[in-house]
Amino acid sequence: MATDPSPQIPMRASSKRSNNSIHPVDVETPPVRTPTPIIYREIKHFKKWIPWLVPAFVVANTVMFIITMYVNNCPKNSVSCVADFLGRFSFQPFKENPLLGPSSATLLKMGALHVKEVVDGDQGWRLITCNWLHGGVFHLLANMLSLLVIGIRLEREFGFIRVGLIYIISGFGGSLMSALFLQSNISVGASGALFGILGSMLSELITNWTIYANKVASFVTLLVIIAVNLAVGILPHVDNFAHIGGFLTGFLLGFVFLIRPQFGWVSQRYAPPGHSSSARPKFKKYQCILWAVSLILVIVGLSLGLVMLLRGVNANDHCSWCHYLSCVPTSRWSCNTEPAYCSSTQLGSQVNVTCSTNGRTTTYFLPGASSSMIQSLCSQQCS
């Protein structure tokens, strides 16, 4: 009997009519446990924002300055101008405006803060519009560079809504305090809003104290920056009341808008499924107290200040030493910043201008002198 030397191996073929593949050997394999995938979620409470509002504020302030210089039109309204090659955009004489900018009359026309216009003329909008005007190129550059340095960092951390609210409300608070104490001068500039940003950075550091690593160094550095900037405000022709009012408003608003949850609550909220830990509150008790107190103070303070201003209250009558907060007189400078007033007589092309402050009289030969030209001469005469 013949035998086949090759071993007989059972084979199973897969049918072309079926989509199921049949393996040569059916072996039951134990199920393999795949690890639960880790889901990474962005922690929205600490995410980084793309700053665009602060640069937009810089552009808006710059555009407003260009428009102001166009309206100023120095060659038409003044006897002499600085940088005549700029034509309509040339600057007022240095004696009238050493900051390379427009005249006071133009700033007033564009919306500068003047208490008489606010109280007697019912032009309360000047408390807002003055924050978008600047007295000159130097004034604009100083404020905008500072805003870019400190504002972009804050917007990247907290977003445009919070920073925008702090900027606008702080500017209003600075204008309000300036109007209560400096009632004879006009005031312009974004300094109040800028100091509000500085104040909010300080309160943000305080209310979120536990999440900072180098907290003491950051606190001391920020205090030095604020102290130096406020010290500059005691020089003449600088509205330090706007700085102080903006700083105080921004300081309070920082406790309201820039509060962060504690790390324990964040790690618990974004923990993977199945992770159990003891429940922790979102905010610490001191953060909640600071939030409530600051919100009440900022609402009451701004409301009370606005009521006092509209009633014609002069805050200097209730504080005899407060004027030193804005200017400290020394042997090198005077704190007298009263606006220039002159009497003028015109006979043909001859114009006599007499300053009411120092009694100085000068005769000019100006054919067809306009009131704007005479006011410009008055400012130079009294400087």
Side-chain angles (χ1 to χ4, degrees):
M1 182 175 179
T3 60
D4 189 354
S6 59
Q8 300 294 325
I9 299 177
M11 298 291 292
R12 294 181 183 179
S14 58
S15 172
K16 294 182 180 180
R17 298 177 183 177
S18 174
N19 293 327
N20 299 324
S21 60
I22 302 175
H23 298 278
V25 180
D26 293 331
V27 181
E28 293 185 1
T29 57
V32 179
R33 294 184 179 179
T34 58
T36 304
I38 300 176
I39 302 175
Y40 294 95
R41 293 185 292 171
E42 182 183 30
I43 301 178
K44 67 179 182 179
H45 298 87
F46 294 93
K47 75 175 184 179
K48 300 295 183 182
W49 299 75
I50 299 177
W52 63 268
L53 185 64
V54 169
F57 282 158
V58 173
V59 172
N61 279 278
T62 304
V63 170
M64 282 303 303
F65 181 74
I66 295 174
I67 295 175
T68 303
M69 293 307 303
Y70 179 85
V71 173
N72 185 66
N73 196 3
C74 181
K76 180 181 178 180
N77 299 313
S78 299
V79 178
S80 61
C81 301
V82 176
D84 292 326
F85 62 90
L86 294 176
R88 189 180 183 120
F89 296 94
S90 56
F91 310 111
Q92 296 298 121
F94 278 112
K95 280 191 174 182
E96 182 180 352
N97 188 343
L99 299 176
L100 290 180
S103 65
S104 299
T106 300
L107 290 173
L108 194 61
K109 183 189 301 183
M110 294 297 295
L113 177 61
H114 192 254
V115 175
K116 184 178 179 180
E117 302 294 337
V118 173
V119 178
D120 299 332
D122 297 327
Q123 298 178 7
W125 46 267
R126 291 181 179 271
L127 294 167
I128 300 295
T129 56
C130 67
N131 294 299
W132 303 92
L133 301 172
H134 286 83
V137 174
F138 297 143
H139 190 199
L140 178 70
L141 287 177
N143 278 346
M144 294 303 101
L145 289 176
S146 301
L147 179 60
L148 285 173
V149 171
I150 66 175
I152 285 182
R153 176 259 170 188
L154 206 63
E155 185 179 355
R156 186 180 289 117
E157 295 290 331
F158 294 95
F160 67 95
I161 296 179
R162 300 182 185 186
V163 173
L165 288 173
I166 291 174
Y167 183 90
I168 294 174
I169 300 175
S170 297
F172 175 78
S175 300
L176 199 56
M177 189 168 185
S178 174
L180 287 171
F181 285 95
L182 299 178
Q183 303 204 341
S184 59
N185 299 337
I186 67 170
S187 178
V188 294
S191 302
L194 181 61
F195 271 79
I197 298 291
L198 276 175
S200 67
M201 291 177 66
L202 180 61
S203 56
E204 187 270 330
L205 178 62
I206 294 174
T207 191
N208 301 322
W209 184 259
T210 57
I211 71 174
Y212 280 93
N214 300 323
K215 55 189 72 177
V216 176
S218 301
F219 184 74
V220 173
T221 302
L222 194 54
L223 278 183
V224 170
I225 294 174
I226 293 171
V228 169
N229 281 274
L230 288 176
V232 172
I234 65 175
L235 297 174
H237 306 290
V238 178
D239 187 359
N240 209 30
F241 286 115
H243 297 173
I244 298 172
F247 175 81
L248 293 177
T249 305
F251 181 73
L252 295 175
L253 291 176
F255 290 119
V256 177
F257 291 128
L258 305 184
I259 183 174
R260 285 194 187 276
Q262 56 176 315
F263 271 133
W265 179 87
V266 173
S267 60
Q268 169 188 299
R269 180 177 177 84
Y270 292 94
H275 179 79
S276 60
S277 61
S278 57
R280 296 189 179 184
K282 185 174 182 179
F283 300 108
K284 292 184 177 294
K285 185 178 295 185
Y286 79 89
Q287 289 179 304
C288 298
I289 295 174
L290 288 174
W291 182 90
V293 172
S294 299
L295 182 62
I296 294 173
L297 287 177
V298 74
I299 293 176
V300 172
L302 293 179
S303 301
L304 182 62
L306 186 59
V307 171
M308 291 172 61
L309 176 63
L310 295 179
R311 289 186 175 181
V313 175
N314 187 343
N316 294 289
D317 298 337
H318 305 278
C319 182
S320 59
W321 56 268
C322 285
H323 62 279
Y324 292 114
L325 294 175
S326 184
C327 181
V328 177
T330 67
S331 58
R332 294 182 177 271
W333 64 70
S334 171
C335 291
N336 183 19
T337 58
E338 292 293 325
Y341 294 103
C342 298
S343 60
S344 63
T345 58
Q346 186 172 359
L347 182 61
S349 298
Q350 179 176 317
V351 180
N352 295 321
V353 179
T354 302
C355 177
S356 58
T357 304
N358 53 31
R360 186 185 303 165
T361 301
T362 305
T363 301
Y364 301 91
F365 292 93
L366 296 173
S370 63
S371 58
S372 300
M373 289 183 177
I374 296 175
Q375 181 60 38
S376 176
L377 293 172
C378 175
S379 300
Q380 298 179 53
Q381 190 80 355
C382 295
S383 61

